Amino acid sequence: MVAALGRLVVRARWWVIAAWIVAAVVIAMTAPALQSTQDQSEFLPGHYESVKALTVQQDAFPERGEIGAIVVFDREDGGQLTADDQAKVSSIAEQLNTKGYDNLGTATATPAADNGLVQAIFVQVKPGKNAFDPAAIEDARSLRADLEPLVEGTDLRVGVTGPAAQSLDAQESSERALVVVSVVTLLLIVVLLALIFRSVIACALPIVTVALVGTTATGLIAVANEAFDLKADSSISVILFIVLFGIGTDYILFFLFRYREALRLGFDGRGAVSHAVERAGEAIASAGGAVIIAFMAMVLSSLSIFRSIGPALAIAVALAVLAALTLVPAVVAVLGPRVISWPSKKWMVAPEATRFRAIGRSVAAHPVRFAVVSAGSLAVLSLFALGFNPTFNFSDSSTENTESGQALITFQKGQPSGATDPTTVLLRSTGGQRLDDAELNAYAAELGTAEGVASAALAARTDDVAVFTVVLSDDPTSDAAMANVEGPVRDTAHSAAPDGTEALVGGTTSIFVDLDDAMARDYSIVFPVAAVLIMIILALLLRSLVAPFYLILSVGLGFTASLGATVLVFQGLLGQQGLIFILPIYIYLFVVALGTDYNILMVARLREEARGGLEPRPAAAKAIEHAGPTVAAAGLILAGTFASLMFAEGTFFKSLGFSFSLGIAMAAFVMALFLTPALTALIGHAAWWPGHGDQATDTVEEPAERRVLES
């Protein structure tokens, strides 16, 4: 089937190229824009308490807007605000109320803090609007611009924080990260391909083809998100770029290495294309299938962030596989050997002795040693994964680099940390009776006594619903605040509720608590499902029930080692309080799925060598010799591509870049080059039970297009 595809692509090469171009243009012109959100409540299903509280509040108090932005003032000299300063702040609030913002509404100046160092203006979101909508984010940008002339000529400093401003900073951080990652990634791909093939065309081929694939993928993802109402966070654009160029270049390398090998064997240009698709196509399709299935397992998540990004990445990978099997071979069939031969001709002569030949012989001679050292080193790093501490702040922990973060620090000089984003408690009648005023006051007083609460007050009420504002003592995104809301705050809210009423705790901290619970549920479902599905792919490819077990165990060990190393570096050496809560599932899916890619490539070549008549140990040596350069080059490019995230701002992107790049490097240079061949050599023929796919064949059929290359 794969061989037939290769021959078809060669014959219809111009039609294949035209079809890709037309599809990309049509989709780019008709697809909606790819949207993202920073609203964590949109990631949770409706049965969680924090989401129920939000729903009750919106139904009972549609006119009561949430806080969208907080304008924070202090003096440039760091001293106490004067009476004139405070009057100026009140005047600025009145002027802001004359602005026609789309989502942001009433601006209210609060009294100066008790210590006189800080004063704030709270800007509400208009009823029915959302602080995380694109319009609210643009309002935050306009608000900052409007404030500059209003404080000019005064001794006041001003900064804007709050949900809309934090979302704006997160969005701008993602945009800057995309620029940095794009430049570093493209430079890395060009430099590494230039060193590998020494060809200008080979350097340009992945960039041009993946750009075309990326245009198509982005449009299809936007269509899918709109059709199924999926929500993605602002990091989707950066991760999507990395996946497309990293994985796309990997699959192109899989093809180009086999194409170059075919040319060296004596195939002509188009015959070499058919041969390369035949030999590399099954590995590319199987590797891509494993990645796609792993990403699609995310639809089982209870969080819409994963249900959105999973199919998005699956679409991107599916198109990358399709391009590697159709578009790239078609382009190479048109251009011929000059793809890897201009200007250098060194590709024509295979090196007589290589480093990978030496590695292969060493692994074949001492498989126990290599298996123990490889697995042992991964196991040691895995121990540090037990110290993983999740954080839930999508705005990033590097707050000192953003205006919203700096304004938050200033605000906390005069107010409890929790005042920036108060927790809300909704109390509603379960029988339709009117809430008693005395009971509401007593309930507010009881809430104020809960551990971790700085103050609690009745904010608004109807006949059967009341909302209380609860200011926490700690930063709403901190571990301490989450522990208090999950424990004493919710316990007090529920137990102190008068008879005939129901209490619901909402707000950002409550959302984080529910996110933590949802993630624990997802780990228990997504992880095993993805592992089982990848094992099925491996079993179908290898016709074996034994090899898939130790292959998936090896990449699973790579996952825990990657997470452990990240915990060691960021929480241990760099002193971070924790790492973003989505990191483990991202590492698992990327390292397990992509790590399987390299194992598939290595084991497929090992089986090919065994079918040529070699025993398990010599087959492992030959597989490393021939597939090792491809695995190393692909792993270096993909690891380097992910490492480009570390050039972006903030701990979120840096931790993703570090963990992904390290995980891919371990998958390529530890598991695929050492651990997998060593285990396969040790297990021997039993590794292929019951299919015995390593049995030698009498003849190896060559494509009909093979012809001796003319000098």
Side-chain angles (χ1 to χ4, degrees), residues 318-344:
L319 288 175
V321 170
L322 185 61
L325 296 178
T326 59
L327 177 60
V328 174
V331 172
V332 174
V334 169
L335 297 177
R338 68 174 64 91
V339 168
I340 59 173
S341 65
W342 187 84
S344 174

Side-chain angles (χ1 to χ4, degrees), residues 184-204:
V184 174
T185 297
L186 295 179
L187 284 175
L188 178 70
I189 290 173
V190 169
V191 170
L192 290 179
L193 290 180
L195 293 174
I196 294 168
F197 293 106
R198 301 181 183 179
S199 166
V200 173
I201 299 176
C203 294

Side-chain angles (χ1 to χ4, degrees), residues 691-704:
H692 303 295
D694 64 329
Q695 289 180 344
T697 56
D698 295 329
T699 61
V700 179
E701 183 181 354
E702 298 289 0

Side-chain angles (χ1 to χ4, degrees), residues 363 367 370-371 374-375 378 538 542 547 550-555 595-596 598-604 606 616 620 623-624 666-684 687-688:
V363 171
F370 280 94
S374 300
L378 296 176
L538 290 170
L542 303 175
Y550 66 81
L551 291 178
I552 201 68
L553 287 174
S554 69
V555 292
T596 303
Y598 302 128
N599 272 340
I600 286 175
L601 188 66
M602 181 61 69
V603 173
L606 197 152
I624 293 173
M666 288 191 295
F669 295 100
V670 178
M671 290 180 285
L673 280 181
F674 296 110
L675 183 57
T676 296
L679 290 175
T680 306
L682 278 173
I683 297 172
W688 308 99

Side-chain angles (χ1 to χ4, degrees), residues 500-557:
T501 65
E502 177 190 25
L504 298 169
V505 180
T508 300
T509 309
S510 184
I511 290 171
F512 287 168
V513 169
D514 290 338
L515 279 173
D516 193 23
D517 180 67
M519 284 303 303
R521 177 262 182 198
D522 287 352
Y523 289 153
S524 66
I525 294 177
V526 176
F527 283 12
V529 168
V532 169
L533 292 176
I534 291 174
M535 287 181 64
I536 292 173
I537 289 286
L538 290 170
L540 292 174
L541 170 67
L542 303 175
R543 283 79 168 174
S544 166
L545 296 179
V546 176
F549 277 98
Y550 66 81
L551 291 178
I552 201 68
L553 287 174
S554 69
V555 292
L557 195 58

Side-chain angles (χ1 to χ4, degrees), residues 389-392 423 450-453 472-492 505 508-514 516 577:
N389 182 46
T391 61
F392 295 82
T423 290
E451 183 180 349
V453 173
L472 302 176
S473 303
D474 302 291
D475 185 332
T477 65
S478 68
D479 292 343
M482 286 182 58
N484 287 329
V485 167
E486 184 177 19
V489 173
R490 282 187 174 179
D491 290 345
T492 301
V505 180
T508 300
T509 309
S510 184
I511 290 171
F512 287 168
V513 169
D514 290 338
D516 193 23
Q577 180 185 13

Side-chain angles (χ1 to χ4, degrees), residues 258 261 265 279 601-628 685 688 693-697 700:
R258 292 310 293 251
E261 185 177 328
L265 288 172
R279 292 304 175 91
L601 188 66
M602 181 61 69
V603 173
R605 187 59 186 248
L606 197 152
R607 183 184 61 180
E608 182 179 329
E609 298 296 341
R611 284 176 170 176
L614 295 179
E615 287 299 308
R617 293 196 181 193
K622 279 292 183 182
I624 293 173
E625 177 184 347
H626 291 297
H685 295 292
W688 308 99
D694 64 329
Q695 289 180 344
T697 56
V700 179

Side-chain angles (χ1 to χ4, degrees), residues 410-487:
T410 301
F411 182 80
Q412 291 172 345
K413 292 179 181 178
Q415 300 289 344
S417 297
T420 59
D421 196 353
T423 290
T424 55
V425 176
L426 278 296
L427 190 69
R428 65 176 176 180
S429 170
T430 55
Q433 70 272 24
R434 176 181 170 81
L435 296 173
D436 182 75
D437 291 340
E439 288 183 335
L440 293 180
N441 292 331
Y443 185 70
E446 189 71 20
L447 287 175
T449 65
E451 183 180 349
V453 173
S455 64
L458 177 64
R461 62 159 299 169
T462 64
D463 284 346
D464 58 351
V465 179
V467 58
F468 299 83
T469 298
V470 177
V471 177
L472 302 176
S473 303
D474 302 291
D475 185 332
T477 65
S478 68
D479 292 343
M482 286 182 58
N484 287 329
V485 167
E486 184 177 19

